[in-house]
Amino acid sequence: MMSPSVIFIAILLLMSAAYYAGRKRALAVAGSRAGLARMHSRPTYYGLLTAMWCGIPALLVFSSWSVFESGIITHLVVAGLPDAIRDLPADRLNLVVNDIRNLVSGNIVSADIDQTMRSAADHYLELQAISHASLAVVILAMTMAAIAILMRIIAPGLRARNQVESIIKWILIACSTIAIFTTIGILLSVLFEAIRFFEKISITEFLFGLKWSPQMAIRADQVGSSGAFGAVPVFAGTLMISAIAMVVAVPVGLLSAIYLSEYADRRFRAVAKPLMEILAGIPTVVYGFFAALTVAPLIRETGIGLGLDVSSESALAAGLVMGIMIIPFVSSLSDDVINAVPQAMRDGAYGLGATKSETVKQVVLPAALPGIVGGVLLAVSRAIGETMIVVMAAGLAANLTANPLKTVTTVTVQIVTLLVGDQEFDSPKTLAAFALGLILFIATLILNVIALHVVRKYREQYE
Amino acid sequence: MDAAANFEELTVGIENTQTASTGPAKAKSGRILFDRDSRDTVGEPFVEDARMTCRDVNVYYGDKQAIKDVSLDIGRNEVIAMIGPSGCGKSTFLRCLNRMNDTIDTCRVTGQITLDGIDVYGKDIDVVPLRAQVGMVFQKPNPFPKSIYDNVAYGPRIHGLAQNRAELDDIVETSLRKAGLWEEVKDRMDQPGTGLSGGQQQRLCIARTIAVSPEVILMDEPCSALDPIATAIIEDLIDELKQQYSIAIVTHSMQQASRVSQRTAYFHLGDLIEVGDTAQIFTTPRHQLTQDYITGRFG
């Protein structure tokens, strides 16, 4: 039986065979060294062209076949089921189809296996085998036809090099559009779920409500049956923690960047810069327990010593540690833009008798400022999106407070807690996660666009 | 095939004809072309009542010696041109004069350089006032990304030369007038200096240097990034500026050196080979290397 993986490997083998065939054909057409010179392209390009025409259509057919195969087979199997089952409501029917699929792949099935199920599964298997066989035939025919056609048209006048170049260009375009379409896809999926949420909870209540308590009653008489979906406390928490993080990260990161790029000698820089970048490589979960187990108790004890009321999980702990995490972002980006300021600027200032700190403060930093702002905005969007540290160190209670010693929660933490575990996917509680995600996405998108714009503007300045 | 030998022959040939045609006055007193291997300075490196003096200056970048035992004076109200092939140390020497080499970690300077009799490398000398007295104009125009006004006002501000806004305005205007830029920019003082043309930018940099009222202005190939018209304007400006300042200019253009300078110093691989009146250097060089360079034999 031709399983899809065998077919895939066969395509790859056929492609390499096609390459050698095309190359050999080109050499044969050329005949001699003089003939080779008359060929439009080098033999390798004829080989590549043959391999591409052989492989790319086959791979496209293969992938679209794989995508649509199970849907079509399922449809056919359902059509063959007895009317009694076919007339079931959609969700029940889905369960039956799932059972059939599980039966086919040998997994545990939920319902009892009766004769209809058994025969449906057999039917499924049969269709699958037919599908695979026909796929193999189609692909083999396509590749062979491609090779045969190419063998025929390889001639000194065939502009193989240009064709290969343009095919490569299209492959690159396809890859870059994948990234764009994925972004659009994510945005749309979040958007549709968010719209479903806003059908149940009004958008004004979500954006301006001051109470966040995403509970939904399973029964009407349940305690706490009414949920509150005012996102203000959640966003306030995000803002506060991000602000604390930036208060830590921007001065430390920027000043260390200035030291490293303007003052430090080369040897120190060679050691210190990679060390700082290690900070960026530490997994955020490690920062998380550092915050929860080391920093938070420290803050709490210090606070108690000063007679303050400090929660064991506080915005301050999460913000401080997040700031430390972001330092390398700020310092590395600032370092790059500071180094990009032409040496001529510094020479000009030094030549007028400016001291080092005057030069940095009055010439280098103003020249680098747009780039630094861009870097800081990127760091802010990183801080807003950060989850793990906050989950572990800031707590879950959505307090609307300006006191950084209290427990707060953030958008990302709420998304995690709303979606973790078994959930109904149409209750406002879970849908709220999508609404939060959408707003977060829009916020970071705007920040990133501004940051990129600022950075680009800076780049144009010296050219 | 035997290029070296041919070259030698050709050189001797030219040498002979030159001695015969241009050298009668000196030939009678036995005019000597110092040969290529000689590294002693030929000519008159010292002047009376010098603004700056340099004695036995050596400069090292790490282990590499960039300047070897250079002694040279810069007189008052004169333009001294420094010429020589790339890498000969003329820019390095220029940057010693206001200690711009201090910003390079590996750079080490020995010997003595004085400004008005005071050792600029002395222990109690601060580079900040020194660089106000010995200003510098660079190869590529490097206005700060600030307004035209702020570019010129930068130096006076950091040195506290103006007591109030009116005085500062005055310094800015005077400096721009001296640099011949005032008429062109007086209506757009608040626009960025980087928006000017290359020649205007370079004159802005000169105005910026003048604004701190230096005694000596060092110019490191100030016209190499400019077109001929802008170059001519700058050269005229240099000619005017020498009424007030001593100017040392590094240039790759021998025409420029002969147009703007009174004295010329020829550097070769870190040695000061020959120095003397510009006219004399370009008409009757006394060192073989100088002659090779100005006749376009190399460089």
Side-chain angles (χ1 to χ4, degrees), chain B residues 227-239:
Chain B
D227 67 67
I229 295 167
T231 301
I233 296 171
I234 303 258
E235 285 179 3
D236 288 345
L237 176 60
I238 291 172
D239 215 41

Side-chain angles (χ1 to χ4, degrees), chain A residues 26-96:
Chain A
L27 286 168
V29 169
S32 62
R33 183 174 279 272
L36 212 52
R38 277 190 294 106
M39 299 289 280
H40 174 269
S41 314
R42 309 257 311 125
T44 329
Y45 281 104
Y46 293 100
L48 280 175
L49 186 67
T50 317
M52 283 171 168
W53 277 116
C54 165
I56 293 172
L59 285 174
L60 285 178
V61 169
F62 177 78
S63 49
S64 49
W65 198 293
S66 314
V67 170
F68 294 115
E69 184 188 49
S70 91
I72 293 171
I73 293 178
T74 311
H75 186 76
L76 291 175
V77 169
V78 171
L81 285 173
D83 287 348
I85 300 175
R86 255 195 306 153
D87 293 339
L88 285 171
D91 44 349
R92 295 285 308 279
L93 188 62
N94 264 341
L95 284 179
V96 173

Side-chain angles (χ1 to χ4, degrees), chain A residues 378-394:
Chain A
L378 284 179
V380 171
S381 67
R382 178 75 208 263
I384 291 177
E386 174 52 40
T387 314
M388 199 45 88
I389 294 174
V390 203
V391 168
M392 294 171 88

